Each structure stands twice: as structure tokens, then as C-alpha cells.
């Protein structure tokens, strides 16, 4: 659909951007920015502090958040000097609070960030083709540092906020309360949200939120002084407000009017000038040209 509209390219990119890379053009690129801004605007109304975070982090911060940086199946891109590319803004925000001690009256703290996310491992499964699982993508992430008796309520508020975001986008979605066998190392409780993707004829995950209790805070030394005077490890909660590629998949596939037109949800009209996505001008084809260096002298 998007290839036909000249707003997407994923093929013939391996020679210079590698496998599982993509370009967005025209209205699809504008939709990406609209989704980001819509999420940020909603989060600001619910008392989130907006923070811009680095993409390069020490491996200790990433491991402290629960993701391994060594081994054959790691999802992390390692670079030199013990540094890695961040897989999600959650890691950078958690690292920002490392070695800090708060007063209980200062909690909870809620932060949100827009960042590029880097994942070394992808999938060759047919149902995960296209931009469903890629090496690099944009995500709006929510993160909270809270007291031990606040984290369960905070998780519920993150879940409700995600559901409200997707309702405003007119998505057909379902909520999953994940069983212990589906939890990562850091999560005590986790919700996944899946949306129906007509092109794949299956439900695809577009968001999740997790209560990590004191898993991350013990490893990153995030504490608070309770009202009783005790010094305790804080709890951390994280959630995805918008994972852009998968939202684009669902929005385009669910709102296709015909082979040349996609209708946009009303909430995005605050950021886009048109209510529909139509065919763009043809984009130039990418061709590899072999350059032969001449040794002849003029």
C-alpha cells in the first residue's frame, strides 16, 4: 500500500543502510511526527516531565535495566569503550536517576522521552516482515520513579493512559495481562496491548507497560527516604506511549479506503493539514553504480 503511494521504501537498501532499514516519505513521515507530538501533548497534560536523552549509554546502565549486553543472542548494539546503543529511552532515564536519593514526599516522579531505539536482533518470520521488527525506530517512552506502595497504582495509570491514546487513534486493540512465563528479568507485572493488523491477519503488539518494583533501583542505586525515616529502594515503572512503526502499520492497514487512499484519525488532524493520505509524486529509484577509477593522465 505505502509503496504504491510512494511514501515508503524498504527494498534495495542493504548496500548502505543494512537489512531491516526503511525510509518514510511525504505523508507517512508527517504521520510519524504527528504521532510523536500527539503523544507528547497528552503526556504533558498528565504531569509528565519531558526529557531528551542520549542514545549511547554505558553497558552497566543497560544491564542494570535488565538487558544483557554480552552473548550470541543479545539485542544490544555494542560499540567501543564499554558503550552501547540504547534499546529504549527507559534505559537513559533510569540511568539519569542512578545514585540518587529522594524524599518520599517527592515521589512519584514521571518522565517521558522521544528517542531512537536500537535493536541488534530482528526476525525472519513472515508475520514480522516489513517495519514490524526493525533495527532502528522511534518511540515515545514513559518512566516513573515511585515509592514501594505507589508502583502498582502507577502501572495501572500507565496502562489506562496507553489505552486512552489508542482509543483516540480509533484502533481496534486488546489488553493482555502477561503471565509470569512471559515476563522479562526486570518485570514483576506487565501489560501488553495488541492491535489488529489486517495485512497480517493477526494481532500485533504495539505497546507494553511494566512494574519493575526494585529490580532496576537495586542495580542503579535509586533510593528514597520514607516518611518513617527508613532508606528504601524505589520502584520503577515504564511504558510505551507510541512505538511508531507498528502504529503506522495498524493505522494504514485499518484505514484504507481504496488502493490509493488512507483516511487519518481525527485526532491527527490537529497536526496534519489533510484528513487523507493519497499518492505522492514518484520518488527516485536507488541504483548502485560501479565507479571505475582511471589511472590515465590527461
Amino acid at each position: 500500500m505505502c509503496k504504491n503511494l510512494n511514501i515508503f521504501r524498504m527494498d534495495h537498501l542493504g548496500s548502505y543502510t543494512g537489512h531491516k532499514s526503511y525510509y518514510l516519505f511525504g505523508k507517512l513521515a508527517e504521520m510519524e511526527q504527528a504521532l510523536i507530538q500527539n503523544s507528547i501533548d497528552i503526556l504533558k497534560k498528565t504531569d509528565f516531565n519531558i526529557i531528551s536523552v542520549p542514545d549511547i549509554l554505558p553497558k552497566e546502565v543497560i544491564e542494570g535495566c535488565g538487558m544483557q549486553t554480552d552473548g550470541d543472542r543479545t539485542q544490544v548494539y555494542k560499540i567501543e569503550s564499554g558503550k552501547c546503543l540504547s534499546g529504549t529511552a527507559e534505559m537513559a532515564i533510569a540511568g539519569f536517576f542512578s545514585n540518587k536519593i529522594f524524599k518520599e514526599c517527592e515521589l512519584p516522579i514521571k518522565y517521558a522521552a522521544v528517542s531512537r531505539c536500537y535493536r541488534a536482533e530482528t526476525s525472519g518470520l513472515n508475520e514480522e516482515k516489513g517495519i514490524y521488527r526493525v533495527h532502528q525506530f522511534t518511540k515515545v517512552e514513559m518512566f516513573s520513579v515511585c515509592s514501594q506502595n505507589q508502583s502498582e497504582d502507577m502501572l495501572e495509570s500507565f496502562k489506562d493512559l496507553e489505552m486512552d491514546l489508542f482509543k483516540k487513534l480509533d484502533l481496534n486493540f486488546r489488553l493482555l495481562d502477561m503471565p509470569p512465563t512471559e515476563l522479562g528479568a526486570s518485570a514483576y507485572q506487565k501489560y501488553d496491548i495488541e492491535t489488529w493488523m489486517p495485512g497480517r491477519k493477526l494481532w500485533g503488539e504495539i505497546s507494553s507497560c511494566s512494574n519493575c518494583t526494585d529490580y532496576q533501583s537495586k542495580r542503579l542505586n535509586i533510593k528514597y527516604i520514607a516518611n518513617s525515616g527508613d532508606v528504601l529502594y524505589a520502584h520503577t515503572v515504564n511504558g510505551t506511549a507510541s512505538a511508531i512503526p507498528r502504529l503506522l502499520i495498524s493505522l494504514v492497514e485499518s484505514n484504507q479506503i481504496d488502493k490509493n487512499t488512507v483516511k487519518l484519525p481525527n485526532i491527527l488532524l490537529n497536526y496534519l493539514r489533510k484528513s487523507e493520505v493519497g499518492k505522492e509524486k514518484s520518488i527516485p529509484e536507488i541504483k548502485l553504480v560501479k565507479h571505475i577509477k582511471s589511472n590515465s593522465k590527461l
Side-chain angles (χ1 to χ4, degrees):
M1 175 68 180
C2 290
K3 286 181 181 179
N4 182 56
L5 297 179
N6 295 322
I7 55 177
F8 170 79
R9 171 170 288 154
M10 197 173 186
D11 51 355
H12 307 305
L13 303 180
S15 59
Y16 62 99
T17 63
H19 177 60
K20 289 288 187 176
S21 300
Y22 63 93
Y23 279 78
L24 307 179
F25 300 91
K27 280 293 179 289
L28 199 61
E30 292 182 33
M31 283 177 64
E32 177 181 48
Q33 298 304 313
L35 287 167
I36 293 170
Q37 194 57 55
N38 175 59
S39 298
I40 291 297
D41 287 347
I42 291 175
L43 294 178
K44 286 167 65 177
K45 292 177 182 177
T46 52
D47 299 324
F48 277 85
N49 300 290
I50 308 303
I51 184 173
S52 180
V53 297
D55 294 331
I56 299 175
L57 298 173
K59 61 179 292 186
E60 292 80 12
V61 170
I62 292 177
E63 291 174 349
C65 289
M67 187 172 287
Q68 296 300 314
T69 62
D70 296 308
D72 295 335
R73 295 297 303 275
T74 178
Q75 292 186 337
V76 177
Y77 278 112
K78 295 176 67 176
I79 51 181
E80 59 185 14
S81 304
K83 300 291 193 300
C84 302
L85 294 178
S86 176
T88 169
E90 167 200 341
M91 299 171 177
I93 303 175
F96 177 75
F97 291 117
S98 63
N99 299 314
K100 286 186 169 59
I101 301 179
F102 300 94
K103 296 178 182 178
E104 185 170 358
C105 62
E106 297 175 317
L107 303 178
I109 298 171
K110 298 192 296 183
Y111 273 78
V114 181
S115 76
R116 295 294 276 175
C117 304
Y118 301 87
R119 308 289 172 88
E121 187 180 72
T122 58
S123 169
L125 297 174
N126 187 59
E127 58 265 29
E128 296 186 349
K129 64 183 179 181
I131 59 173
Y132 185 87
R133 192 178 298 278
V134 287
H135 286 306
Q136 181 178 339
F137 59 96
T138 301
K139 182 156 70 91
V140 183
E141 183 75 2
M142 304 178 291
F143 189 87
S144 177
V145 177
C146 48
S147 67
Q148 295 183 1
N149 60 5
Q150 293 172 332
S151 61
E152 291 189 9
D153 288 341
M154 185 61 66
L155 177 65
E156 294 300 314
S157 72
F158 274 29
K159 178 256 294 179
D160 292 343
L161 184 53
E162 290 171 351
M163 293 175 66
D164 184 56
L165 276 163
F166 303 139
K167 286 177 183 176
K168 286 182 169 65
L169 291 172
D170 299 326
L171 293 176
N172 179 18
F173 65 88
R174 65 183 184 183
L175 176 70
L176 305 177
D177 189 350
M178 304 306 289
T181 54
E182 295 294 326
L183 301 181
S186 62
Y188 167 76
Q189 184 181 1
K190 178 172 177 277
Y191 291 112
D192 278 0
I193 296 178
E194 297 179 337
T195 186
W196 180 251
M197 297 182 175
R200 288 164 170 70
K201 294 181 175 59
L202 52 76
W203 295 89
E205 181 190 338
I206 56 170
S207 181
S208 67
C209 53
S210 302
N211 181 2
C212 297
T213 62
D214 59 5
Y215 181 98
Q216 295 175 334
S217 61
K218 283 184 175 179
R219 288 157 178 78
L220 297 173
N221 195 33
I222 306 171
K223 299 179 180 179
Y224 70 98
I225 302 172
N227 293 331
S228 63
D230 295 330
V231 179
L232 306 173
Y233 283 105
H235 282 192
T236 59
V237 178
N238 65 78
T240 300
S242 295
I244 301 302
R246 295 186 185 182
L247 280 180
L248 291 176
I249 291 172
S250 186
L251 286 171
V252 170
E253 293 183 352
S254 300
N255 294 285
Q256 182 178 343
I257 297 175
D258 53 47
K259 68 177 183 179
N260 291 316
T261 312
V262 175
K263 183 175 176 57
L264 298 175
N266 290 332
I267 194 169
L268 294 186
L269 301 186
N270 297 325
Y271 312 94
L272 298 170
R273 290 169 293 178
K274 294 183 179 180
S275 61
E276 296 180 350
V277 175
K279 193 161 188 173
E280 299 274 345
K281 293 181 180 179
S282 180
I283 56 177
E285 290 291 331
I286 297 175
K287 295 182 179 180
L288 300 179
V289 179
K290 186 176 181 180
H291 178 69
I292 302 175
K293 187 176 181 180
S294 175
N295 293 322
S296 61
K297 295 182 179 180
L298 296 177

